[in-house]
Amino acid sequence: MRITRITLWSVDLTSHETYYMAEGKACATVKTHVLCLETDTGLKGWGEVCPIPHYLPAFADGVPSAVTEMATTILGLAPFGVDAPMRRLDQVLLGHPHAKSIVDMALWDLFGQATGQPVYALLGGRTRFDMPLYHSITCIAPDDMARIATEAYGTGIRQFQVKLGADADWQADAERLIKVREAVGTGPLVYGDWNCGATKLRATRTGRAVAHLDVMLEQPCKTLEDCAAVRQATGLPMKIDEGAHDFETLLRAHALGCLDAVALKLSKFGGLSAMRRARDLTVHLGAEICAECTWGSDIVTAASLHFAASTPQGALLNTCDLAGYVAPRLCPDAPTRAHGRIAPPNGPGLGVSPDPSVLGTPVLELA
């Protein structure tokens, strides 16, 4: 069995509501790419990657060029095992983990289908039936954010990510955290996320203003050193996101004392293969894991769910149903949230297949 064909599509995904973040970052309509690796036996492996503008050093329109660069190595591969071919691709194309993640994901899908196993089994085995979700709340007026939190709480959500910093007002950010905490009561996890958009001073003032609450902070500043300074000054636990993208940054965050939790995202690390290795290190370091990706629809969500379902007990903080935030949905057979939780798809591989009518015309076809 060999890979004989590569097809790539581009699909615009529109958020149900615009997500406002610090420093003018926003998610409204963004471009996701969908990859199909087809074998000479007819099996098809699917991958997806959706970079957010201004979020990470990842350019969506560069994905077709990167796939073309890797194509001669991909074509002819036997889909039994993923680590070895991905190491070969690391030699062919330096960096560009987001572009490699879409290939890695499709290879895991093929590997699972070829062996008759769901991806979570290949990643180490299923450790839980379903996983807790967090709900991300766009950075708008505090009362409106509290309303969104209340609505999500009513659906069973018990973890809430509160976007901060859109107006660079530390007092407004404190009010956002206070009102969301009041809306959901004691017990649920609430954390404020600046997406690197705060100074140490603003983040510290916000953190001290809510230090009496049970809340966590997420990636307030661009550097790990500044995030660690905020954690020390406020005494509040810290989740790292943008600042953790390889072994070196995970170890650095741990050494600085700011790795209470971490977002492991497929496109940051380069796919499931690299993220599985990062998971092992994170578990060793004692941090809790948010298993997800930057953005996207059903295929990347499915990959994240398989990863989350195989994460050791006690190490998983939450996961995210990215597809639930956008339209169109790519896969009619994909899982959806229920009572604040979600389970990975059934069947071999990733367990999802996109609707051809949603994909449209390919932007790249190679054989």
Side-chain angles (χ1 to χ4, degrees):
M1 187 186 302
R2 301 283 175 180
I3 295 172
T4 57
R5 189 170 190 83
I6 301 171
T7 310
L8 185 72
W9 293 263
S10 173
V11 180
D12 286 341
L13 300 177
T14 300
S15 301
H16 297 313
E17 57 181 319
T18 300
Y19 275 80
Y20 296 104
M21 296 169 273
E23 294 188 316
K25 301 183 184 80
C27 268
T29 297
V30 295
K31 183 178 297 184
T32 197
H33 280 95
V34 175
L35 178 72
C36 178
L37 301 182
E38 187 171 355
T39 71
D40 51 10
T41 64
L43 288 184
K44 295 179 179 180
W46 296 95
E48 181 187 4
V49 68
C50 185
I52 298 174
H54 318 300
Y55 175 67
L56 290 171
F59 180 47
D61 284 332
V63 172
S65 297
V67 171
T68 300
E69 187 73 15
M70 295 183 283
T72 55
T73 302
I74 298 168
L75 292 169
L77 284 175
F80 296 96
V82 182
D83 288 317
M86 290 308 299
R87 289 191 180 99
R88 288 172 60 188
L89 289 177
D90 283 338
Q91 297 174 331
V92 171
L93 180 66
L94 300 180
H96 302 278
H98 68 292
K100 289 174 183 169
S101 70
I102 195 173
V103 177
D104 176 274
M105 200 181 303
L107 288 174
W108 279 102
D109 191 17
L110 278 178
F111 187 22
Q113 292 180 55
T115 58
Q117 297 292 320
V119 167
Y120 61 72
L122 302 176
L123 292 174
R126 192 168 189 166
T127 60
R128 50 182 55 79
F129 174 74
D130 60 10
M131 294 79 64
L133 290 162
Y134 76 86
H135 189 79
S136 184
I137 305 174
T138 180
C139 189
I140 49 179
D143 286 335
D144 291 330
M145 296 177 75
R147 173 185 51 78
I148 293 170
T150 300
E151 292 170 354
Y153 185 91
T155 70
I157 292 288
R158 293 298 181 266
Q159 299 193 35
F160 301 86
Q161 181 194 65
V162 180
K163 293 295 185 184
L164 303 175
D167 45 15
D169 182 340
W170 72 268
Q171 291 173 302
D173 286 337
E175 186 180 1
R176 290 175 172 111
L177 287 168
I178 290 168
K179 290 202 169 180
V180 168
R181 169 51 75 196
E182 289 174 348
V184 302
T186 59
L189 177 65
V190 174
Y191 52 103
D193 180 17
W194 283 274
N195 291 107
C196 302
T199 63
K200 283 189 295 183
L201 177 59
R202 284 205 300 268
T204 297
R205 295 179 84 182
T206 299
R208 286 182 171 174
V210 299
H212 61 291
L213 299 177
D214 173 22
V215 295
M216 181 170 66
L217 306 181
E218 179 175 354
Q219 192 78 45
C221 308
K222 291 180 173 62
T223 70
L224 293 175
E225 289 75 12
D226 285 353
C227 289
V230 172
R231 193 203 186 289
Q232 183 177 17
T234 62
L236 294 172
M238 181 74 65
K239 176 188 172 189
I240 298 299
D241 179 2
E242 292 91 336
H245 48 81
D246 57 16
F247 275 17
E248 181 181 357
T249 49
L250 286 169
L251 289 167
R252 181 64 177 156
H254 174 71
L256 289 167
C258 59
L259 195 72
D260 298 294
V262 62
L264 299 186
K265 295 185 176 180
L266 292 157
S267 66
K268 282 197 303 182
F269 285 85
L272 288 164
S273 302
M275 204 156 87
R276 179 179 57 169
R277 296 190 290 271
R279 178 180 68 190
D280 292 342
L281 175 59
T282 303
V283 171
H284 173 72
L285 296 176
E288 295 193 33
I289 295 166
C290 169
E292 58 174 347
C293 198
T294 47
W295 205 241
S297 188
D298 293 298
I299 301 170
V300 74
T301 295
S304 300
L305 298 184
H306 282 280
F307 179 85
S310 62
T311 294
Q313 288 290 345
L316 183 72
L317 181 70
N318 54 38
T319 189
C320 184
D321 60 336
L322 292 166
Y325 292 85
V326 299
R329 297 289 296 259
L330 295 180
C331 306
D333 53 351
T336 56
R337 65 170 66 181
H339 310 297
R341 304 181 70 86
I342 194 167
N346 296 315
L350 291 177
V352 293
S353 298
D355 180 352
S357 67
V358 177
L359 297 180
T361 304
V363 296
L364 184 67
E365 295 180 274
L366 301 169

